[in-house]
Amino acid sequence: MTLLPERARLKRILTLALPIIGGMTSQNVMNLVDTAMVGGLGATALAAVGLAGFATFFSQALLLGLSAGVQAMAARRKGEGRHDDMAHPLNGGLIVAIAAGVPLSIVLIVLAPTIFPLLVDDGEVARLGTEVWQIRLVAVTAVAMNFCFRGYWNGVDLSRLYLRTLVVMHVVNIALNYALIHGRLGAPALGTAGAAIGTTVSLFVGTTMYVLLGLRHARAAGFLAHLPDRETFRKMLRLSIPNGVQQLFFSAGLTVLFVIVGKIGTDELGAANVLVNIMLVGILPGLALGLAAATFVGQALGARDVDAARAWGFDVAKVGGVLLFVIALPFIAFPDLALRAFLHEPHVLELARWPLRIVMATLFIDGIGNVFMNALLGAGDTRRVAGIGIGTQWLFFLPLAYVVGPVLGYGLSGVWLLNGVWRGAQALIFFSMWRGARWTRIDV
């Protein structure tokens, strides 16, 4: 068994995956930019932005599952040679995003002042975080639509369009953050609210670009030509809802994790915000390769070639493991080079140093698990994936994190060591599922 797949397959993997890696990495770079620019305001501001960010993730998580449904169906249709209606699942996803996203935003914006203070004991963190969350909630529909487009571009091998849009979004976000957080270029100094406004505006810019690109590159595939039929809607929702529920529970779990860390201390909460953002950027290449695997698997199954689909899952996992191992080494050896960009108080930096090393030491295992997870999603095995993801997080990791952190007093290092054990166990389960045959018989 070779460390990497043969050259032709490696080239195809990288051709599709590199734009996705760049695009997904840039998504979390948006969060890191916010974190770095807010970092100068202190640990309280960092804690507020971090908790509000994960509350936002939770708010829109159910709709993010639309991406998996759109991608699986578009890839399968391409593999079947049905090029004229590849975009019909995208049309359906956009309709659901708008119909569900708009009322969800309105309700949560109204309820935010009641809900957010329940997440944290620190009054100033609650005040700042509520404001940030309300601003970010304005863009829930835009985020859901953007994920539908992402699923489509990835499913039909046009991931470069996804990357192009995100580059523009991040330029807008950085420019607005620079102006609005500290009051530069004649703009008012809005602090944490300025970071939220920059992110929200950039998301709507991205949606506008995606629609224009869709009219140019997906019109022949049926984009906005007519409503999808009932069977398309049924399959898309059957694939999307389990993944959306998994995203919902995962994001809720991150929010609960922040609540648990907040019980250890406010400084620990600020450090955890930075740790999670760095961790998510580090793992994104694995997630991006997983999306590439989902495309290859969906197209191979559309062509009725199960052996090719299975081989793609293993080959992409090899690439992911090697890539993430290489990425992790500098962070393990020199954690302060990354942490000092966000943490300016020495005692908070000390809190984050060993947890970051732990995260990076297990990064390649987590990445391999994400490849197999997304390969299963590409095959349409969304229900089992959701069950494993929700069960291991809520029945294993979160209860033990509370015991290890606030109760036994092992702090951030203990919580993050437990996180590594959880992600490793989950990766092993997904690997075992991929070796089986159940996912090969799913109708998409």
Side-chain angles (χ1 to χ4, degrees):
M1 184 176 180
T2 58
L3 187 62
L4 289 172
E6 62 183 37
R7 180 174 298 181
R9 293 174 70 83
L10 178 61
K11 181 179 179 181
R12 189 178 175 200
I13 291 170
L14 294 179
T15 298
L16 177 60
L18 285 177
I20 304 176
I21 291 172
M24 293 196 72
T25 302
S26 68
Q27 280 186 307
N28 271 67
V29 167
M30 180 184 290
N31 291 332
L32 287 175
V33 166
D34 288 352
T35 302
M37 290 186 170
V38 170
L41 301 177
T44 298
L46 272 175
V49 169
L51 194 55
F54 288 103
T56 304
F57 183 21
F58 173 74
S59 306
Q60 61 203 21
L62 190 60
L63 295 176
L64 301 186
L66 292 169
S67 177
V70 171
Q71 180 171 351
M73 293 187 69
R76 188 72 66 96
R77 292 184 179 205
K78 181 170 182 176
E80 293 169 346
R82 298 168 57 186
H83 298 111
D84 293 342
D85 63 355
M86 288 191 307
H88 289 184
L90 172 60
N91 295 340
L94 294 175
I95 291 170
V96 175
I98 294 170
V102 172
L104 180 63
S105 289
I106 294 171
V107 170
L108 289 178
I109 288 171
V110 172
L111 295 178
T114 302
I115 296 174
F116 197 86
L118 301 176
L119 303 178
V120 63
D121 296 327
D122 190 304
E124 184 64 10
V125 173
R127 184 186 69 81
L128 293 174
T130 298
E131 183 181 41
V132 171
W133 189 31
Q134 287 178 310
I135 295 169
R136 295 286 300 273
L137 284 170
V138 173
V140 166
T141 302
V143 171
M145 294 176 69
N146 292 353
F147 268 71
C148 289
F149 279 108
R150 187 192 80 174
Y152 178 75
W153 299 135
N154 292 343
V156 299
D157 296 327
L158 288 174
S159 57
R160 67 183 186 278
L161 301 180
Y162 165 54
L163 177 58
R164 186 186 307 172
T165 305
L166 285 171
V167 169
V168 174
M169 288 170 58
H170 297 321
V171 169
V172 171
N173 182 52
I174 291 171
L176 290 176
N177 278 357
Y178 178 80
L180 294 175
I181 293 176
H182 297 289
R184 298 186 175 97
L185 304 176
L190 300 178
T192 54
I197 291 171
T199 300
T200 298
V201 171
S202 69
L203 289 166
F204 279 103
V205 169
T207 304
T208 302
M209 285 192 64
Y210 278 136
V211 171
L212 294 176
L213 288 169
L215 292 172
R216 180 175 179 181
H217 295 278
R219 194 68 170 176
F223 176 61
L224 299 185
H226 52 76
L227 295 174
D229 58 37
R230 181 177 297 181
E231 182 64 12
T232 298
F233 259 123
R234 186 188 68 81
K235 287 184 177 180
M236 187 195 67
L237 292 175
R238 177 172 59 82
L239 294 170
S240 299
I241 289 174
N243 185 250
V245 171
Q246 181 188 2
Q247 295 282 355
L248 182 67
F249 274 88
F250 177 71
S251 60
L254 283 178
T255 305
V256 170
L257 177 61
F258 268 70
V259 173
I260 291 171
V261 173
K263 293 184 180 299
I264 301 174
T266 298
D267 288 338
E268 285 82 358
L269 188 59
N273 176 32
V274 173
L275 286 168
V276 169
N277 277 298
I278 293 176
M279 177 182 71
L280 290 177
V281 170
I283 198 59
L284 280 178
L287 287 171
L289 283 162
L291 290 176
T295 294
F296 296 140
V297 168
Q299 292 178 2
L301 291 176
R304 302 185 183 280
D305 191 341
V306 173
D307 290 338
R310 190 185 300 276
W312 278 120
F314 286 117
D315 282 350
V316 177
K318 293 177 186 177
V319 177
V322 172
L323 177 62
L324 289 171
F325 181 79
V326 172
I327 289 174
L329 289 177
F331 290 91
I332 296 172
F334 309 105
D336 287 10
L337 293 180
L339 293 173
R340 282 179 178 151
F342 311 102
L343 299 175
H344 307 289
E345 297 163 285
H347 66 286
V348 181
L349 178 67
E350 180 68 25
L351 289 171
R353 186 175 292 123
W354 272 104
L356 180 60
R357 284 188 168 125
I358 293 168
V359 167
M360 291 300 163
T362 58
L363 190 67
F364 75 99
I365 299 174
D366 199 1
I368 291 171
N370 276 303
V371 169
F372 286 122
M373 179 187 75
N374 281 280
L376 290 163
L377 293 176
D381 200 356
T382 55
R383 291 184 182 180
R384 287 202 302 163
V385 168
I388 296 301
I390 294 169
T392 55
Q393 183 184 27
W394 284 84
L395 300 179
F396 172 74
F397 172 61
L398 291 175
L400 290 180
Y402 181 78
V403 173
V404 168
V407 176
L408 297 180
Y410 287 103
L412 284 181
S413 294
V415 171
W416 254 258
L417 182 61
L418 183 63
N419 178 75
V421 173
W422 161 50
R423 301 295 284 181
Q426 187 173 256
L428 184 60
I429 294 171
F430 288 139
F431 169 74
S432 177
M433 290 168 62
W434 188 250
R435 292 185 63 189
R438 186 171 171 180
W439 56 269
T440 67
R441 299 186 292 268
I442 298 174
D443 177 39
V444 174

